[in-house]
Amino acid sequence: MRPAAIRNFLLLASSLLFAGLSAVPQSFSPSLRIGPGAACRLSRAESERRCRAPGQPPGGALCHGRGRCDCGVCICHVNEPGVFFGPLCECHEWVCETYDGSTCAGHGKCDCGKCKCDEGWFGDACQYPAHCDLTKKKSNQMCKNSQDVICSNAGTCHCGRCKCDNPDGNGLVYGKFCECDDRECIDDETEEICGGHGKCYCGNCYCEAGWHGDKCEFQCDITPWESKRRCTSPDGQICSNRGTCVCGECSCHDVDPTGDWGDIHGDTCECDERDCRAVYDRYSDDFCSGHGQCNCGRCDCKVGWYGKKCEHPRSCPLSAEESIRRCQGSSDLPCSGRGKCECGKCTCYPPGDPRVYGKTCECDGRRCEGLDGTVCGGHGTCSCGRCVCDRGWFGTLCQHPRKCNMTEEQSKSLCESADGILCSGKGSCHCGKCICSAEEWYISGELCDCDDRDCDKHDGLICTGNGICSCGNCECWRGWNGNACEIWLGTDYP
């Protein structure tokens, strides 16, 4: 190429380049600084002019008041996750409204956080057609929620689509059928959404850590870490992953409408009775295949059955009747109600407790213990659940001295009940202590004022043989629970 032609080509290219640069918006100029930390090549007035919206006078808000101006370029603030802004921070939301899962209902384009609707459509999410071809009956049918209520009585139906009532323009009523009403989340006192301590989703408050209540109005009196510790189940999960932790207490997901235990219960929702059912049906009582009792989600099988859900029969050369007969001994119940009978042999429980023993678990040393744990009142020895008293003492727990060092008046004053009756009229007074009638075995208490018939029975035994009756209430041995001490909550079971 000739030198003249080269010169003409360079002149043309430089003019085109200049024209192209002059067409670039002044608000976009990433090369106005020579390098990092270098001074801006624009004057302050020019820099601020480029950061103002077109038409705004000098002194107006820079970057729409949502950012700072850096050498003619807006650096926008991100106030919360997911919120972005445009070149002049003019866009408040990056995401546009959706309807029925589609952005701008599929009838428009998202521009700077707002839907620009196609021709023939309108609405915040372009969800309403300008012209409707549906009959009123068909339109209303499309607007009905699952309860057959048009727009949940919180809006009007427009061509098969609900237009929710928001007279204040706050958008608190929303949803395809106007089923969400975030006004339910407003605290009556503070008038804030969820009391300012949570987020509202479809009329329900989800509280921040340390707050609880329908509107997050209550603050826990313990730290979130202590609350988590109290709600942590033995397997390390919060409420066994079957409940919600509120201020250190688990609210299990499954609640029995009768007010009793549901299928899921326990301090940390650790008990799941569904594990005891071969086929789960919450309205069925068919626990443990019908061959056992469910205790905290674990089956305790009847004689002759085994397996996780007592589904397998156990082979035994003895008939069921003969097996039970051998386990009964002189008691009316197999293993005296204190053990498990398997093929004619008793396994006493709680496992490993030396106080319960005997061929048919007939010996229960716990009956020799007073409420303070002292054996035979410290004045005797225990033999197969009965106290053998030292000389000078008598009573079921060797609690009475044979010699008395007080006058008769002193003794009687200690035996009188509030109504002035000696030993409630159901016993005799000895040295200031009542000896209740032996004929009425159920009478107990310091003043013979308790009736142990009030204690709950199970399998024909008071407190199921797994505790003692104390003034009409069962006090269960370690590992047992329930009104009649009929529930085993220990870690091991025979």
Side-chain angles (χ1 to χ4, degrees):
M1 187 179 289
R2 298 182 204 177
I6 294 173
R7 184 170 61 255
N8 291 335
F9 173 77
L10 292 174
L11 287 172
L12 177 62
S14 63
S15 63
L16 288 173
L17 179 62
F18 177 78
L21 288 174
S22 62
V24 174
Q26 289 181 323
S27 60
F28 180 77
S29 183
S31 60
L32 295 176
R33 291 184 187 275
I34 298 176
C40 179
R41 294 189 297 173
L42 297 176
S43 66
R44 179 176 178 180
E46 177 62 17
S47 173
E48 291 182 354
R49 185 186 70 79
R50 297 190 181 200
C51 288
R52 276 192 296 270
Q56 273 197 331
L62 301 178
C63 305
H64 284 83
R66 300 173 182 149
R68 61 182 177 85
C69 184
D70 183 14
C71 197
V73 176
C74 283
I75 309 298
C76 303
H77 302 313
V78 180
N79 294 328
E80 49 184 284
V83 179
F84 302 90
F85 304 107
L88 292 177
C89 307
E90 69 274 20
C91 299
H92 184 260
E93 295 284 349
W94 184 263
V95 180
C96 282
E97 293 284 342
T98 62
Y99 178 80
D100 202 15
S102 298
T103 301
C104 301
H107 303 299
K109 294 182 179 180
C110 185
D111 182 20
C112 197
K114 292 185 178 180
C115 288
K116 288 192 174 181
C117 302
D118 299 336
E119 187 175 350
W121 294 87
F122 71 98
D124 292 338
C126 304
Q127 70 270 43
Y128 305 120
H131 303 285
C132 186
D133 298 327
L134 300 175
T135 64
K136 186 175 182 179
K137 182 178 180 181
K138 179 65 176 177
S139 174
N140 287 343
Q141 192 65 33
M142 293 174 64
C143 286
K144 288 182 177 179
N145 61 16
S146 57
Q147 284 80 39
D148 265 356
V149 179
I150 296 175
C151 299
S152 307
N153 283 333
T156 55
C157 186
H158 183 87
C159 199
R161 292 168 172 83
C162 286
K163 193 170 185 179
C164 303
D165 295 335
N166 281 291
D168 298 332
N170 49 26
L172 293 179
V173 181
Y174 58 94
K176 184 178 180 180
F177 301 108
C178 304
E179 70 275 15
C180 296
D181 188 350
D182 284 358
R183 291 175 299 186
E184 297 292 331
C185 293
I186 298 176
D187 188 285
D188 296 333
E189 294 183 4
T190 64
E191 296 186 352
E192 290 184 279
I193 296 288
C194 300
H197 305 296
K199 296 287 186 181
C200 184
Y201 298 100
C202 201
N204 294 297
C205 283
Y206 294 82
C207 305
E208 299 172 352
W211 293 86
H212 66 104
D214 291 340
K215 297 176 182 177
C216 307
E217 67 271 34
F218 301 117
Q219 188 173 15
C220 297
D221 56 1
I222 58 176
T223 65
W225 298 273
E226 176 63 16
S227 176
K228 179 180 178 181
R229 185 191 68 78
R230 294 184 187 182
C231 288
T232 301
S233 53
D235 60 2
Q237 294 181 322
I238 301 298
C239 299
S240 305
N241 205 26
R242 293 192 285 259
T244 304
C245 183
V246 179
C247 290
E249 294 185 2
C250 286
S251 176
C252 303
H253 288 155
D254 185 24
V255 178
D256 190 333
T258 64
D260 300 326
W261 272 352
D263 292 322
I264 299 173
H265 59 92
D267 290 341
T268 56
C269 307
E270 71 277 11
C271 297
D272 191 345
E273 307 296 345
R274 296 175 297 182
D275 294 338
C276 290
R277 290 173 173 154
V279 178
Y280 177 65
D281 178 1
R282 71 166 293 132
Y283 300 105
S284 169
D285 290 329
D286 184 21
F287 290 101
C288 305
S289 307
H291 305 300
Q293 179 178 343
C294 185
N295 284 321
C296 195
R298 185 169 54 186
C299 284
D300 300 330
C301 302
K302 293 180 180 178
V303 177
W305 295 89
Y306 74 100
K308 187 176 180 181
K309 296 178 181 176
C310 305
E311 67 273 30
H312 302 298
R314 190 184 299 276
S315 59
C316 178
L318 302 176
S319 65
E321 293 77 10
E322 178 63 17
S323 174
I324 291 175
R325 188 188 67 79
R326 293 190 183 188
C327 289
Q328 277 183 324
S330 59
S331 173
D332 293 332
L333 291 174
C335 304
S336 306
R338 303 187 192 101
K340 198 171 188 178
C341 181
E342 292 182 324
C343 202
K345 293 184 178 181
C346 287
T347 303
C348 304
Y349 52 72
D353 192 335
R355 296 174 298 176
V356 184
Y357 60 96
K359 187 177 180 180
T360 58
C361 305
E362 69 275 13
C363 297
D364 190 349
R366 297 171 299 187
R367 296 190 176 277
C368 294
E369 297 177 358
L371 295 178
D372 59 356
T374 305
V375 176
C376 299
H379 306 297
T381 57
C382 184
S383 175
C384 197
R386 295 192 176 190
C387 285
V388 180
C389 301
D390 298 337
R391 181 179 294 180
W393 294 87
F394 72 101
T396 54
L397 293 176
C398 304
Q399 71 272 38
H400 302 298
R402 293 195 180 275
K403 290 184 179 182
C404 186
N405 296 322
M406 62 178 67
T407 65
E408 186 176 353
E409 289 73 18
Q410 290 174 328
S411 175
K412 287 183 178 180
S413 66
L414 294 175
C415 291
E416 287 182 354
S417 55
D419 54 7
I421 300 176
L422 202 65
C423 297
S424 305
K426 298 175 182 178
S428 59
C429 182
H430 179 80
C431 202
K433 292 186 178 180
C434 287
I435 302 175
C436 302
S437 172
E439 295 178 0
E440 297 177 299
W441 59 268
Y442 43 83
I443 299 300
S444 65
E446 290 185 1
L447 298 176
C448 302
D449 51 346
C450 297
D451 191 337
D452 287 352
R453 291 176 298 182
D454 293 337
C455 277
D456 289 332
K457 292 183 180 180
H458 187 73
D459 286 338
L461 281 181
I462 288 179
C463 303
T464 325
N466 303 318
I468 61 171
C469 186
S470 176
C471 208
N473 294 298
C474 287
E475 294 191 1
C476 306
W477 309 130
R478 180 174 53 86
W480 290 94
N481 204 345
N483 291 335
C485 305
E486 76 279 18
I487 301 173
W488 171 249
L489 295 179
T491 54
D492 299 311
Y493 198 85

